[in-house]
Amino acid sequence: MSDTSQDIFQLEAQEHLQQIECSLLALERDPTQTDELDALFRSMHTIKGSGGMMGYQHLADFTHHFESVLDQARKGTLQFTEALASVLLLASDHITQLLDDPEPSNEVQQRSAELLATLNEQVGGTATEQGQSDVATSTATADAWAIRIKPSEASFRDGFDCLPVLRELASLGELSVSRRLEAPEQQFDAESCYLTFECQLTGGTPASAIHDAFIFVADEWLVEIEATQIVTDDPIDKVAATKTDNTARVPSKSAKTKKVEEQMIRVPSTKLDYLMSLVGELVIVKARLEQLASVAHDEHLNEVSEELARLSLALRDNAFDIRMLPIGSIFGRFQRLVRDLSKSLGKQVEFETEGEETELDKVVLDKLADPLVHLIRNSLDHGLETPEQRLSVHKPAAGTIKLKASHLNGQILIEVSDDGAGINAERVLEKARANGLVTEHDELTQEQIYNLIFEPGFSTAATVSDVSGRGVGMDVVKRSIESLQGRLSVHSESGQGTTIRILLPMTLAIIEGLMVKVSDSQFVIPLVAVEECIETSSAHNSGKDGARLVEYRERLTPCLRLRDTFSIAGERPKYEQTIMIKTDERPFGITVDEVIGQYQTVIKNLGPLYQMTPGVMGATITGDGGVAMILDVNQLADDARPLQLEA
């Protein structure tokens, strides 16, 4: 067994386990969803078959019993219940453990036996009985088998070829095949399959081997297998038993998704990261060439520079597309979290998601899952009330938690909201004063009070429980989001609920930026944050930390003068340039000496000594080999708003 085959098996098994969990949660809410039941059965069936082929015999035997129960549920001979869904969810967790070792320990096998016993309690013992019956049938051996095969009409459209299945049968003995075409006289569809195959297989083949030949099409095709007498008549066709190099088993995917999956290539994320790194280096070289071309005033060099710029831009966009994944790919795991946690807390919860198709860089996406888990747990534990509490204030017994993703000004906005009791601002302020975070004399806005929940160790919970109170671990959430160059904000209304908003860049690799200059220092402002550039007078002195107010669209807007903020030496020009920045709240300005122009920026991480520099999110290499700091406009916005201007 090659490492590649093993890796593919493990990866596909995990995908099927995700499908199993999603289908079970959907069926738990509505057992009449036949599509979900079919998808659940197919995934369990595929794990069983793939596990058997890859040498995971205990896994195959274990999943076989659950597959049998699901088959009964599909046929309507067994009712699908919430209790059955709970057992199947536990079985799904156990299958994850069985994937670790083809020969599990005695302790793990004992857990398998306990789950099967629980399953039998739920279905009245029919799981093991049905499983034993199936095993008995599948291990039978006969000198001859009559096999009738009718592929689904969509087989050809879905990319299925009947020949590999027939070759698989031919490898088991001597196979004779006759074909029959059952096409409609009217409305004949050339892409539909109207074939039926009548086969005779001789050679003392066990039924289990025959069933394995159909393991990936059994859900879609009509297959009938029965022992028979050897027929000596000359068959219409004979299929050679010799296996050829191009003979292959049908991939472990359902027929409905086969066509799409053929167009997909699995690539390790490290290769994608390396590709993006190379693209970044190419962008730097392109900037260097543009710099040389502008100095040399060479027409031919300018043509080459422009062509390289066009190609590098197309390559960059393509590399971005490859790394972008729908955020819904991590939404599914939260369904299980909400389900299990609500049961342990005795709360009724409706979990809603929106904007699953919103795409985000895989690097950002991978680091986003844990902060979202924290936020959802906190919303469930201390955001939502118990059913009794909700009914007493005339709310529905079941609360709602909503996870929403959308685009906002070239960035990704993620919102975690609940319709619970909201944050008690007075209690938060009282706790903050008790912990010494603020003094009795500090006057805070409502937003500033809410942001106190992100302070390390802050919690308003009266007692410590297994589930964090609103505030426990929230400092970890904030640090995680800020490490992604994102920003958190809290909005809450007493008795109505709380919404936590996360604003993130779509990627952390290459961004479009606006190059600006202060004396000899260059800075880059992310272009997605730029709203407008205006000319302002340098006559107005700055207040504390370079802060001041400028008039923008008939209102005073807070601004930061970068020269003062970063203590850059030199004199201000008579007229400065102020870049107005759009944020999720009111705008603010960044004042510089000069605006150079748009610049394609490769983000480089700062060294350990400079990682905590306020207002800076990274650096980039300019075309002349210099270094320009990339500004963290979110942090600068926070510094600009609570202005304390000097008189």
Side-chain angles (χ1 to χ4, degrees):
M1 186 193 315
S2 68
D3 291 340
T4 301
S5 299
Q6 180 68 246
D7 292 342
I8 292 175
F9 163 67
Q10 291 283 346
L11 184 59
E12 293 190 344
Q14 292 297 334
E15 290 176 354
H16 284 295
L17 285 172
Q18 290 179 13
Q19 178 62 59
I20 286 172
E21 187 169 286
C22 290
S23 295
L24 283 172
L25 293 171
L27 287 165
E28 191 175 43
R29 294 190 298 270
D30 181 8
T32 64
Q33 299 184 70
T34 56
D35 289 345
E36 293 290 353
L37 187 57
D38 289 340
L40 175 59
F41 175 81
R42 282 194 298 270
S43 292
M44 191 70 74
H45 177 78
T46 303
I47 290 176
K48 182 199 78 170
S50 301
M53 286 192 301
M54 298 299 292
Y56 287 71
Q57 193 55 50
H58 181 79
L59 169 66
D61 293 341
F62 177 77
T63 53
H64 176 75
H65 296 291
F66 289 89
E67 177 199 27
S68 299
V69 170
L70 291 173
D71 192 34
Q72 294 176 58
R74 291 173 74 208
K75 295 174 180 176
T77 58
L78 177 69
Q79 184 178 3
F80 194 95
T81 62
E82 183 178 341
L84 178 58
S86 297
V87 177
L88 286 164
L89 282 170
L90 293 175
S92 174
D93 296 339
H94 186 60
I95 290 172
T96 302
Q97 189 174 6
L98 294 179
L99 288 168
D100 293 338
D101 190 354
E103 299 179 359
S105 64
N106 292 334
E107 182 181 355
V108 174
Q109 293 187 40
Q110 178 61 33
R111 176 58 178 161
S112 299
E114 292 172 357
L115 285 170
L116 288 175
T118 306
L119 177 66
N120 283 324
E121 291 176 5
Q122 294 295 330
V123 298
T126 59
T128 304
E129 293 169 7
Q130 180 67 31
Q132 291 171 345
S133 174
D134 291 343
V135 171
T137 302
S138 64
T139 56
T141 302
D143 292 332
W145 295 95
I147 307 170
R148 180 172 177 267
I149 309 168
K150 183 175 177 56
S152 65
E153 283 193 11
S155 295
F156 294 162
R157 287 193 299 273
D158 292 336
F160 268 90
D161 185 0
C162 304
L163 191 56
V165 177
L166 296 176
R167 285 192 180 128
E168 184 77 14
L169 290 174
S171 69
L172 302 175
E174 185 175 350
L175 181 69
S176 301
V177 182
S178 63
R179 302 183 298 271
R180 185 170 68 252
L181 184 65
E182 299 176 339
E185 295 181 1
Q186 305 293 332
Q187 297 180 340
F188 180 87
D189 181 6
E191 294 185 349
S192 295
C193 178
Y194 303 113
L195 292 171
T196 298
F197 299 94
E198 301 285 352
C199 308
Q200 178 179 273
L201 179 64
T202 59
T205 307
S208 58
I210 300 174
H211 282 287
D212 285 345
F214 300 100
I215 195 166
F216 299 119
V217 296
D219 300 332
E220 310 295 334
W221 294 10
L222 175 63
V223 180
E224 298 175 355
I225 305 171
E226 60 181 35
T228 186
Q229 300 296 320
I230 297 178
V231 179
T232 58
D233 295 340
D234 291 336
I236 295 176
D237 291 310
K238 285 197 175 182
V239 181
T242 305
K243 290 187 177 180
T244 60
D245 292 337
N246 63 350
T247 301
R249 188 181 292 275
V250 179
S252 56
K253 291 288 180 183
S254 69
K256 293 182 179 179
T257 61
K258 173 66 167 65
K259 189 172 183 179
V260 175
E261 290 297 326
E262 277 193 331
Q263 301 171 1
M264 306 294 287
I265 299 176
R266 298 189 185 278
V267 179
S269 60
T270 52
K271 290 187 177 181
L272 296 181
D273 294 340
Y274 184 57
L275 172 63
M276 185 58 70
S277 176
L278 291 177
V279 171
E281 296 301 322
L282 179 62
V283 168
I284 294 173
V285 171
K286 180 214 67 167
R288 177 63 175 158
L289 181 60
E290 288 176 338
Q291 181 80 12
L292 292 174
S294 65
V295 173
H297 302 292
D298 186 314
E299 180 180 348
H300 297 294
L301 188 59
N302 279 329
E303 289 179 359
V304 174
S305 175
E306 291 174 2
E307 183 66 12
L308 179 61
R310 184 184 66 81
L311 292 174
S312 64
L313 179 62
L315 181 60
R316 184 206 67 174
D317 291 343
N318 187 259
F320 276 163
D321 288 342
I322 292 174
R323 293 212 334 179
M324 300 297 276
L325 292 174
I327 197 170
S329 60
I330 65 171
F331 276 12
R333 71 184 68 177
F334 305 130
Q335 294 276 2
R336 178 72 182 277
L337 170 69
V338 171
R339 182 255 185 200
D340 291 347
L341 198 54
S342 62
K343 288 183 178 295
S344 67
L345 294 173
K347 295 182 178 180
Q348 299 176 21
V349 185
E350 294 290 339
F351 183 57
E352 300 177 359
T353 59
E354 183 179 334
E356 292 92 336
E357 70 285 352
T358 305
E359 290 189 332
L360 196 59
D361 191 322
K362 184 182 183 300
V363 175
V364 180
L365 196 60
D366 289 343
K367 296 179 180 180
L368 184 61
D370 286 344
L372 289 179
V373 166
H374 273 289
L375 294 178
I376 292 172
R377 286 170 64 94
N378 280 289
S379 289
L380 226 167
D381 187 22
H382 285 271
L384 295 181
E385 313 95 328
T386 63
E388 296 77 16
Q389 291 171 332
R390 293 180 63 85
L391 290 172
S392 68
V393 293
H394 308 292
K395 286 185 177 181
T400 300
I401 293 178
K402 188 171 184 178
L403 181 58
K404 178 182 177 182
S406 59
H407 291 279
L408 179 66
N409 299 326
Q411 296 179 289
I412 301 297
L413 174 63
I414 300 172
E415 295 177 301
V416 180
S417 59
D418 63 64
D419 64 347
I423 299 177
N424 189 324
E426 293 182 1
R427 190 176 178 191
V428 169
L429 187 57
E430 178 185 345
K431 188 73 173 181
R433 285 171 175 164
N435 290 349
L437 297 175
V438 294
T439 68
E440 295 287 342
H441 305 291
D442 289 332
E443 295 184 3
L444 305 179
T445 65
Q446 197 86 333
E447 180 184 356
Q448 290 171 329
I449 294 174
Y450 292 152
N451 284 332
L452 290 171
I453 68 174
F454 296 113
E455 293 297 322
F458 184 88
S459 174
T460 58
T463 59
V464 177
S465 64
D466 294 336
V467 184
S468 302
R470 189 180 294 276
V472 176
M474 296 294 265
D475 60 316
V476 177
V477 173
K478 185 178 182 182
R479 286 199 302 270
S480 298
I481 297 301
E482 288 179 344
S483 72
L484 299 174
Q485 312 306 329
R487 187 181 181 198
L488 278 168
S489 61
V490 183
H491 305 269
S492 186
E493 187 174 345
S494 179
Q496 301 300 314
T498 301
T499 297
I500 296 181
R501 309 175 80 212
I502 303 172
L503 199 61
L504 292 166
M506 293 180 65
T507 180
L508 297 177
I510 303 174
I511 62 172
E512 291 292 340
L514 185 69
M515 181 76 76
V516 299
K517 195 171 184 181
V518 178
S519 288
D520 294 328
S521 301
Q522 292 180 317
F523 300 89
V524 175
I525 301 173
L527 197 61
V528 294
V530 175
E531 187 171 77
E532 188 177 349
C533 294
I534 62 174
E535 192 173 71
T536 54
S537 172
S538 63
H540 299 91
N541 290 325
S542 302
K544 185 179 179 181
D545 298 327
R548 63 178 183 144
L549 293 173
V550 299
E551 186 174 346
Y552 175 62
R553 295 186 179 179
E554 300 181 352
R555 66 182 297 180
L556 291 177
T557 301
C559 293
L560 286 177
R561 183 177 272 127
L562 283 190
R563 178 182 297 277
D564 297 332
T565 301
F566 293 124
S567 301
I568 300 173
E571 293 186 4
R572 301 196 296 260
K574 182 177 180 181
Y575 294 102
E576 299 172 306
Q577 303 298 317
T578 297
I579 297 91
M580 305 311 299
I581 303 298
K582 54 188 176 184
T583 65
D584 55 327
E585 297 173 4
R586 57 178 298 187
F588 82 104
I590 296 176
T591 301
V592 299
D593 291 357
E594 179 185 355
V595 174
I596 299 175
Q598 187 172 339
Y599 189 80
Q600 201 172 98
T601 305
V602 180
I603 301 176
K604 299 291 186 180
N605 291 328
L606 297 173
L609 292 177
Y610 303 99
Q611 282 183 348
M612 302 306 293
T613 303
V616 176
M617 62 180 283
T620 188
I621 301 174
T622 61
D624 59 3
V627 176
M629 295 293 124
I630 304 171
L631 299 180
D632 184 345
V633 295
N634 288 329
Q635 188 173 41
L636 290 175
D638 290 338
D639 294 340
R641 286 187 181 119
L643 291 179
Q644 296 177 355
L645 297 177
E646 296 177 356

